[in-house]
Amino acid sequence: MKIEQIYTGCLAQGAYYIESKGEVAIVDPLREVKPYMEKAEAAQAKIKYIFETHFHADFVSGHVTLAKETGAQIIYGPKANPSFEAVIAEDNQEFKLGDITIKVLHTPGHTMESTTYLLIDENGKAHAIFSGDTLFLGDVGRPDLAQKAKELTQEDLAGFLFDSLRNKIMPLSDDVIVYPAHGAGSACGKNMSK
């Protein structure tokens, strides 16, 4: 298994390349998809999945182009309603990638479709989470950026975020590695660490 962060400093954004047994998943790809395709080609691997943690407002995702170029499926968590072809996964749904598993943890709060992806290694052990904008290093995602409906307040979103952190993330083992979507400098959190 190989996990590589592809970090873009000017956006403080981290995309992730995950490879296992010739199959690849990309988490939160940037618009320029050639580097992901070149990396997979060099490893003689096939891009199978594109996991989106939520709809991004701070950068343009390359998911549609990457899916078109590779035949990979775009995966969103529950509550997503894209205008393009994608798999809308259910909470706790699992996706096989080589000899590892990616499990969907619906973690609303930053946005209602926010999803954390749990990587389970070849031995069945929780290894890492790709937390998107739910959990950062030193902070959590802002619940005040996704208010689209009058009936949904930032307090409502903060409550969803609290429940997501308490009920989905905190029960995980302390040795699970956290791979967030952003680092210090992003407006999606206020006190993020590098």
Side-chain angles (χ1 to χ4, degrees):
M1 169 180 63
K2 173 183 179 181
I3 301 171
E4 182 178 343
Q5 182 187 63
I6 301 166
Y7 197 75
T8 304
C10 61
L11 296 173
Q13 195 273 336
Y16 296 91
Y17 175 97
I18 308 164
E19 182 185 321
S20 177
K21 299 284 186 188
E23 294 183 334
V24 172
I26 307 295
V27 180
D28 292 333
L30 286 174
R31 180 69 183 99
E32 177 52 55
V33 299
K34 200 172 197 176
Y36 312 119
M37 294 168 50
E38 289 173 348
K39 196 173 289 293
E41 186 178 324
Q44 297 181 331
K46 177 172 177 36
I47 299 176
K48 184 176 181 180
Y49 297 119
I50 303 158
F51 290 100
E52 288 284 2
T53 57
H54 64 296
F55 291 107
H56 307 284
D58 52 343
F59 69 92
V60 177
S61 177
H63 56 315
V64 173
T65 303
L66 190 57
K68 182 179 176 184
E69 294 289 328
T70 65
Q73 290 183 302
I74 300 169
I75 313 293
Y76 275 96
K79 305 285 186 192
N81 187 19
S83 59
F84 46 85
E85 188 174 330
V87 173
I88 308 306
E90 295 179 13
D91 192 30
N92 295 313
Q93 185 171 346
E94 296 182 349
F95 295 86
K96 295 300 282 178
L97 185 76
D99 60 4
I100 64 173
T101 302
I102 309 275
K103 183 176 181 178
V104 174
L105 303 178
H106 185 216
T107 51
H110 179 66
T111 65
M112 286 308 293
E113 80 281 354
S114 285
T115 299
T116 295
Y117 296 101
L118 173 64
L119 187 151
I120 301 167
D121 70 16
E122 59 277 359
N123 298 314
K125 182 182 182 313
H127 178 78
I129 57 171
F130 300 88
S131 59
D133 287 15
T134 297
L135 178 64
F136 301 118
L137 303 181
D139 205 355
V140 298
R142 290 176 56 186
D144 62 328
L145 299 177
Q147 291 175 248
K148 293 182 181 170
K150 290 179 183 176
E151 66 275 358
L152 197 62
T153 67
Q154 68 183 20
E155 288 77 15
D156 294 330
L157 288 166
F160 287 124
L161 182 59
F162 180 86
D163 289 342
S164 293
L165 293 165
R166 288 284 179 176
N167 300 326
K168 296 289 181 82
I169 306 247
M170 289 177 72
L172 297 171
S173 175
D174 287 345
D175 64 350
V176 169
I177 300 166
V178 177
Y179 292 111
H182 295 291
S186 169
C188 293
K190 292 190 176 197
N191 297 306
M192 286 185 262
S193 302
K194 290 187 178 181

